[in-house]
Amino acid sequence: MKPEKVFKRYDIRGRYPEELDEEFAKRLGKALAVFVRENFNKRIVVCRDNKQSSVKLKQSIVEGLTSSGLKVIDIGEGPTDYAAYLGKKHSCISVQVTSSHMPLEFNGFKFMYPKGNGFTNDDLSKVKTNFRQTRYMQGDGEVEKVGSTSKRRYKDNLKTTAMRNSSATVNKKIVVDTMGGATREILPELLDNLGAEVIDISDEKEEMPYRDPPNPKPELLDELKQKVEEEDADLGLATDMDGDRVRAYYNGEFLTGDEVFCIIGQLVGGNSVASVDTSNALEDMMQERGNKVFYTRVGDPFVMRKAVDESVAFAGEPNGHYSVTEFIPYNSGTLSCLMLAGTDIQEKLDEIPFYSVQRDNLGVEEKEEVMASVREQLDQGDIISQKDGVKAKFGYSEVLIRPSGSSQKIRLISEAEDEDTAQAGLEEAKKLIQK
């Protein structure tokens, strides 16, 4: 087992069983238990998605946790926000067995703090160190299985939170694509309870999950798009495997992540936290309402940690991650879907300031050296932010230049009030990098 291959920036992911298996999961449970016992109480919530490999991996991590003296609160199967929600209710760390939107041959683990937000890099690194050094503790733990009452309360809270932030009833025909993942028995039911006419793509499938990879990217949602058009539906909604991402199809187009973020901002109001790659449209819109947007590095742990620290009303990223913190400071695709279903989307879209956003990636040999060179070449007066890479003015455009977290690439996002200007800024930034 090579932990450096599966311990990623924000979670643990690898091919099953080649890169992580039941032995890995048991050792991981022991390593995590040391961290938990040294920093928190001796309870922990454990949940899983519905992949077949998740069943055995969950059983094995539970064995590691209990053999180290922890009481495991086994909440069964569900989305990651369910694990975070129950962890907060029990004031303890929570674990989700999932690899989220990765191909089905992968699996992994996510850890959340008692407040509900995901582990930061520093604490995940401490767990990794315990794993590598086989630094374990012995103890006699136990398992408490949680029944259906907890899930019902979770669903009720999702519904009431959505109703407080959008309409109490949903008079729409909605097509739902859960990928056959962990929201398949939650999202369609709640939409139906709110009054929607639900067309669930999973009803036509025999195997669950049925989408590989279970990732709600527009290019993977042809079936959702086609079904919306065939049924003359008002809206199409999709979530990923563990229910922390959302995608919406409306009026013949997929909404961008920035558009969904701005719609949620209008519905919730208040201060917010956004990753630095978020469109200026959100800040423009929220400032008009007297609210502040705090920015962080790209990545869920940074966004949600800041959301907790600043006690904001909502937070997210334009990749489909959104959180309404009164429910839980963790991304909830289910809650986002319910809120989108209960609002006049066109009315909200009309309120969003227009910006053209152009994106590109450049392959490089040494991304950190390239970023250092970019910083040296830029006029200091043009630099807007260095929270994650560099965001700077290029003429009338603002361009974010940042290193990829997973490959030797530089990612560029250019934004301006029209497409030609945004594209011109993108080209200037590329020239700077290519020097």
Side-chain angles (χ1 to χ4, degrees):
M1 289 179 285
K2 298 180 179 179
E4 62 273 9
K5 291 196 68 175
V6 297
F7 277 81
K8 307 297 183 181
R9 293 178 70 192
Y10 316 131
D11 54 18
I12 298 167
R13 286 177 278 118
R15 286 182 173 82
Y16 173 87
E18 295 86 358
E19 295 175 342
L20 56 79
D21 58 8
E22 288 77 15
E23 180 187 354
F24 176 95
K26 187 173 183 178
R27 282 184 55 186
L28 179 63
K30 293 180 177 182
L32 176 61
V34 173
F35 175 83
V36 172
R37 289 182 61 173
E38 290 179 344
N39 296 278
F40 299 93
N41 53 44
K42 296 174 74 172
R43 297 190 303 275
I44 191 165
V45 164
V46 181
C47 187
R48 65 170 175 86
D49 68 20
N50 58 304
K51 283 204 296 287
Q52 186 175 359
S53 60
S54 297
V55 177
K56 292 183 178 180
L57 289 175
K58 179 186 167 192
Q59 180 180 349
S60 296
I61 196 171
V62 167
E63 289 175 5
L65 293 165
T66 54
S67 69
S68 304
L70 293 192
K71 177 180 179 178
V72 172
I73 302 169
D74 184 351
I75 64 172
E77 175 192 309
T80 303
D81 70 336
Y82 178 49
Y85 177 84
L86 264 293
K88 186 176 181 180
K89 290 295 182 184
H90 289 276
S91 301
C92 66
I93 295 289
S94 56
V95 178
Q96 176 78 358
V97 182
T98 187
S99 56
S100 193
H101 59 282
M102 299 290 288
L104 296 180
E105 64 183 299
F106 285 75
N107 216 322
F109 304 87
K110 293 182 177 182
F111 306 144
M112 285 73 68
Y113 295 111
K115 290 185 178 180
N117 57 311
F119 266 34
T120 61
N121 297 19
D122 289 345
D123 285 339
L124 188 60
S125 180
K126 292 174 184 176
V127 177
K128 179 181 178 181
T129 298
N130 292 343
F131 184 98
R132 295 184 69 172
Q133 296 178 354
T134 61
R135 183 169 173 264
Y136 305 144
M137 293 179 177
Q138 297 297 317
D140 296 320
E142 60 178 317
V143 177
E144 175 190 342
K145 290 188 179 291
V146 170
S148 59
T149 301
S150 291
K151 184 165 283 188
R152 173 45 57 194
R153 289 173 179 166
Y154 157 78
K155 290 179 181 179
D156 289 344
N157 204 337
L158 277 167
K159 182 178 175 180
T160 55
T161 305
M163 291 168 65
R164 274 197 301 271
N165 291 283
S166 57
S167 174
T169 57
V170 179
N171 299 314
K172 294 178 182 176
K173 182 187 288 189
I174 299 175
V175 178
V176 176
D177 187 351
T178 63
M179 316 271 153
T183 67
R184 74 197 187 287
E185 295 180 354
I186 298 171
L187 178 57
E189 174 190 329
L190 291 177
L191 286 170
D192 181 74
N193 288 347
L194 288 170
E197 179 184 346
V198 181
I199 301 168
D200 185 357
I201 288 178
S202 68
D203 288 343
E204 304 171 0
K205 310 296 182 181
E206 294 183 1
E207 294 186 3
M208 301 292 165
Y210 53 79
R211 189 87 66 222
D212 191 7
N215 188 343
K217 287 184 175 181
E219 57 267 31
L220 300 175
L221 292 174
D222 286 344
E223 188 173 5
L224 175 70
K225 178 180 176 180
Q226 182 178 345
K227 183 66 73 172
V228 169
E229 302 300 341
E230 286 178 356
E231 298 288 342
D232 194 25
D234 299 294
L235 183 64
L237 296 169
T239 55
D240 69 342
M241 184 74 209
D242 70 323
D244 70 345
R245 290 180 187 242
V246 63
R247 182 69 65 176
Y249 183 73
Y250 170 75
N251 198 23
E253 294 181 338
F254 285 100
L255 299 182
T256 69
D258 286 310
E259 287 173 330
V260 174
F261 206 170
C262 286
I263 291 172
I264 290 174
Q266 292 177 68
L267 293 172
V268 179
N271 294 342
S272 59
V273 173
S275 54
V276 72
D277 58 338
T278 301
S279 169
N280 288 328
L282 178 68
E283 185 170 27
D284 288 356
M285 193 179 63
M286 300 314 295
Q287 282 185 340
E288 285 185 0
R289 292 162 168 78
N291 303 128
K292 184 173 182 178
V293 179
F294 299 92
Y295 289 99
T296 72
R297 291 175 58 186
V298 174
D300 168 67
F302 309 114
V303 173
M304 293 306 160
R305 178 64 177 269
K306 186 72 170 177
V308 169
D309 290 346
E310 299 293 343
S311 300
V312 298
F314 68 102
E317 301 177 86
N319 63 358
H321 283 157
Y322 313 105
S323 164
V324 178
T325 57
E326 68 166 294
F327 175 66
I328 191 75
Y330 194 85
N331 308 306
S332 176
T334 303
L335 180 55
S336 300
C337 285
L338 297 177
M339 291 171 61
L340 288 171
T343 192
D344 184 332
I345 291 178
Q346 190 58 57
E347 178 184 273
K348 301 304 180 187
L349 289 175
D350 291 342
E351 292 292 319
I352 301 173
F354 176 78
Y355 283 93
S356 175
V357 179
Q358 304 295 317
R359 303 172 187 267
D360 205 350
N361 300 311
L362 289 178
V364 296
E365 291 185 3
E366 295 293 339
K367 59 187 178 185
E368 296 303 334
E369 291 183 11
V370 171
M371 289 305 306
S373 174
V374 166
R375 291 186 180 94
E376 290 177 3
Q377 294 180 72
L378 284 169
D379 187 321
Q380 290 299 306
D382 290 332
I383 294 178
I384 300 168
S385 170
Q386 297 192 61
K387 291 185 181 296
D388 192 348
V390 181
K391 188 174 186 178
K393 297 177 182 176
F394 285 79
Y396 291 100
S397 299
E398 293 185 3
V399 183
L400 175 64
I401 306 170
R402 56 178 290 269
S404 167
S406 57
S407 60
Q408 288 294 335
K409 290 181 179 180
I410 301 295
R411 304 198 185 280
L412 301 98
I413 304 175
S414 178
E415 186 170 32
E417 293 183 354
D418 63 81
E419 183 176 341
D420 289 344
T421 305
Q423 189 62 42
L426 188 68
E427 295 303 322
E428 286 299 313
K430 288 165 68 175
K431 289 177 183 177
L432 185 72
I433 294 168
Q434 290 164 347
K435 286 182 181 180

